[in-house]
Amino acid sequence: VNRKRLLANWKMNLTLDQAAEWTRRVVAALPPPEEVSAMVLPSFTALDAVRRARGDAPLLIGAQDGYPQGHGAVTGEVGIEQLKDAGVSAVLAGHSERRRLLGEPDPLVAKKVEAYVGAGLTAVLCVGETEAERQAGHAEAVLRRQIATGLEPVAESALCQVLVAYEPVWAIGTGHPATPDAASEAAETIRAAVRARFGEERADALEILYGGSVDVTNLAGFLAASGIDGALVGGASLDADGFVAMMKAARG
Ligand code: PGA
């Protein structure tokens, strides 16, 4: 695909006022969606403020997490029906901060992917090795395992509802991104694992994002890297002007 994806993962940041202001500024500068598909992933508290500020503009809204059930007796969680009602079209699964800080295991990540896709949403499956796994030479094996388990419940016909984000844990929030070549290599490992399970055509159509210390200075390099279809941007996405500059850079 020629269209590039740019996802703004706010993580646990921004007040309601800041979220609305960010959205107004970004909406005013949105590129044509057939060139750049922009998505913002606010905290649950700000979903509605973002949707109001977005209006009819082609800025997609995603959630950083979701409980793998429509609704029900699950204190503290947000269900998929609630997310859809709030205008969400995509949900992250398996972000490394949740894997690490909250102990989210692969099987739960797989349940989430299954539930999001089953509800007609896009699942953004996040994978990536830690520094220790990389040092030990296990990076490829980790990616293969995370892909195999994360996509285990996904039917071939539903793979088009999945995006994979390659986010090496050592690159997230550190200011030390991977190189575009290393991101390409990881994307090829991911695509090979997907090919083995779903076949050539589905694997070729899978969109893979890179995430980890992406900013306006390095974004174009990642977007030009073979096998990389977009970027998941954390820290550098919080500033609306910075994100606008990245949308511009993504147009090439
Ligand atoms: P970062 O985070 O851009 O702040 O490194 C990326 C992510 O975790 O999605």
Side-chain angles (χ1 to χ4, degrees), residues 11-47:
K11 308 192 178 187
M12 200 168 66
N13 293 293
L14 301 194
T15 63
L16 294 181
D17 283 349
Q18 289 169 336
E21 176 63 16
W22 186 101
T23 306
R24 280 191 290 271
R25 291 169 94 117
V26 166
V27 157
L30 274 181
E34 56 281 2
E35 286 182 36
V36 180
S37 170
M39 183 188 295
V40 58
L41 299 106
S43 297
F44 296 132
T45 48
L47 283 171

Side-chain angles (χ1 to χ4, degrees), residues 7 9 11 92 95-97 126 167 171-175 211-215 232-237:
L7 276 61
N9 175 14
K11 308 192 178 187
L92 299 187
H95 191 281
S96 67
E97 282 151 14
C126 303
E167 298 206 298
I172 295 178
T174 58
S213 296
V214 172
D215 62 25
L232 179 51
V233 188
S237 77

Side-chain angles (χ1 to χ4, degrees), residues 17-204:
D17 283 349
Q18 289 169 336
E21 176 63 16
W22 186 101
T23 306
R24 280 191 290 271
R25 291 169 94 117
V26 166
V27 157
L30 274 181
E34 56 281 2
E35 286 182 36
V36 180
S37 170
M39 183 188 295
V40 58
L41 299 106
S43 297
F44 296 132
T45 48
L47 283 171
D48 194 50
V50 167
R51 182 169 56 166
R52 285 165 199 264
R54 176 195 63 176
D56 297 329
L59 171 68
L60 300 173
I61 301 175
Q64 298 170 21
D65 187 46
Y67 193 76
Q69 188 177 307
H71 65 271
V74 190
T75 301
E77 291 294 313
V78 177
I80 294 173
E81 288 167 14
Q82 296 175 305
L83 293 177
K84 290 176 77 167
D85 183 49
V88 162
S89 63
V91 191
L92 299 187
H95 191 281
S96 67
E97 282 151 14
R98 298 194 60 84
R99 292 180 191 263
R100 184 168 51 88
L101 299 170
L102 297 156
E104 261 192 32
D106 278 329
L108 177 58
V109 173
K111 269 209 168 97
K112 290 184 174 184
V113 172
E114 180 179 26
Y116 304 161
V117 165
L121 297 169
T122 296
V124 185
L125 173 62
C126 303
V127 298
E129 79 284 0
T130 63
E131 176 67 26
E133 287 162 342
R134 181 170 78 140
Q135 296 286 346
H138 295 156
E140 284 193 19
V142 168
L143 293 181
R144 281 197 296 266
R145 187 199 76 225
Q146 291 176 339
I147 288 293
T149 16
L151 297 183
E152 203 273 325
V154 176
E156 193 195 317
S157 59
L159 190 67
C160 55
Q161 285 171 252
V162 175
L163 300 175
V164 172
Y166 170 58
E167 298 206 298
V169 179
W170 47 269
I172 295 178
T174 58
H176 300 292
T179 62
D181 280 352
S184 279
E185 265 177 50
E188 188 37 46
T189 300
I190 290 165
R191 220 177 284 283
V194 171
R195 197 177 294 126
R197 160 87 195 283
F198 295 91
E200 186 91 37
E201 209 174 309
R202 298 279 185 194
D204 286 350

